[in-house]
Amino acid sequence: MHCSYYDAHVCRSCRWIELPYADQLAAKQARVLSALPPMPWRDPVASPEEGFRNKAKMVVGGTVDEPTLGILDPRGRGVDLRECGLHDPRLRAALPVLAELVRAARLTPYSVPDRRGELKHVLVTVAPSGELMVRFVLRSTEAVPRLRKHLPGLLASLPVAVVSVNLQPAHKAVLEGPEEIALHGDTLTMRVNDLDLHLRPQSFFQTNTAVAARLYHEATGLVASVGPASVWDLYCGVGGFGLHVAAPGRTVVGVESSEQAIESATLTAADLGLAATFLAGDATAYALASAEVPELVIVNPPRRGIGRDLATWLEASSVRHVVYSSCNVDTLARDLTSMTSLRPVSAQLLDMFPHTDHHEVLVLLSRG
């Protein structure tokens, strides 16, 4: 993939972009192989090289009349990246319309050096259908009436399913705050492998839809190969894994700290008539407090991994199988050392993040 921003040293986030994609994939495969114990490996899953990101997280800079949507330079000034080739083309087409809305609604970009302004980020997600979720991260509610005034024009210009305001008043490098104000709609439908997953504004979803679909497909195959009657989906997000593996005669329980994600997963389960229950809470606390133990546990933790407490509980439990989806092979390797009774049966690299050294690894562990 060629990137004029990279060539001009405007943005150097894609550190591997000069490597041919086949070499990137080979380097990632070598990296995860070296970090994990010997086990059978399935063929890696490649990604499209460009246009694969379903979410644009754009820092807003510049001025109200000439806003930038992109990143900040080392001085904290805005750098415009509206034509970033990683983004789905439908995201790129939406960004000029949103920049015009910033001007029309007089949404003053937040200046990090000066600690002044209102609009910090514009977050845009595109569904496979082409519908959009647009979130404006503001410091206060001051600009909300102006956004409401210009909302009809936005809805007429773009296929927007959800519009919201997120409030982040703190002067620190945190993407968003806890409070969300709905302006239009409440859920974006992400169709993945014939399942309509619901995505609400503060719910996590993988940024690479094509590879996420393969991840869920591969995990479903692993679960089917051992045929458990009961499954826990810990760190379940909007229920992608749990909803894919739900089947007649199988109980599925998902646990996730985000209440919005749990609402999304519960809505999808109800729509599809699936016997799956989703609970808001801490995954480790749920496992340690539960009187019942499932046959199989799926874990999809953040980069820090599942940690010693949950790994130790899994080791001491009667859980027969674990499907571990990891975005950090180092914390995965650490967690495996606490689960020595759970033998690695197979592993697979899935490339969610081309042009970087980031990776996703799916591992099946079985006891005995």
Side-chain angles (χ1 to χ4, degrees), residues 320-331:
R320 299 297 305 168
H321 311 280
V322 175
V323 174
Y324 195 136
S325 179
S326 170
C327 60
N328 184 342
V329 72
D330 295 320
T331 56

Side-chain angles (χ1 to χ4, degrees), residues 56-60 69 95 98-99 102 107 119-124 134-137 175:
K57 301 177 181 180
M58 311 304 281
V59 180
V60 183
L69 302 181
L95 294 178
L98 295 171
V102 171
L107 305 178
L119 180 60
K120 290 186 168 184
H121 303 95
V122 172
L123 310 177
V124 194
V134 180
R135 302 172 65 208
F136 299 91
V137 181
L175 184 66

Side-chain angles (χ1 to χ4, degrees), residues 324-345:
Y324 195 136
S325 179
S326 170
C327 60
N328 184 342
V329 72
D330 295 320
T331 56
L332 169 61
R334 179 207 64 201
D335 291 338
L336 292 184
T337 64
S338 298
M339 299 186 289
T340 54
S341 296
L342 289 157
R343 177 177 56 87
V345 174

Side-chain angles (χ1 to χ4, degrees), residues 231-317:
V231 173
W232 285 357
D233 179 8
L234 303 183
Y235 309 94
C236 68
V238 297
F241 286 103
L243 291 163
H244 273 82
V245 304
R250 176 180 296 155
T251 61
V252 174
V253 176
V255 182
E256 164 64 44
S257 60
S258 168
E259 292 186 2
Q260 282 207 358
I262 291 301
E263 291 171 4
S264 298
T266 300
L267 178 59
T268 303
D271 284 351
L272 299 175
L274 296 174
T277 302
F278 294 94
L279 307 170
D282 178 79
T284 299
Y286 177 82
L288 270 57
S290 180
E292 298 183 358
V293 178
E295 293 182 21
L296 183 144
V297 174
I298 301 169
V299 291
N300 182 30
R303 290 186 60 79
R304 65 177 180 272
I306 63 174
R308 179 177 297 276
D309 289 346
L310 182 52
T312 300
W313 179 87
L314 285 166
E315 169 66 15
S317 74

Side-chain angles (χ1 to χ4, degrees), residues 197-209:
L197 302 176
H198 292 284
L199 182 64
R200 300 196 66 195
Q202 291 183 298
S203 303
F204 169 79
F205 192 80
Q206 299 282 4
T207 59
N208 189 325
T209 305

Side-chain angles (χ1 to χ4, degrees), residues 9-10 28 39 62 66 131 167-168 218 248 276 280 282 305 332 353:
H9 289 255
V10 170
K28 293 185 185 187
M39 69 184 85
E66 295 185 4
E131 288 191 310
L167 296 180
Q168 170 50 291
E218 298 294 338
D282 178 79
L332 169 61
F353 318 101

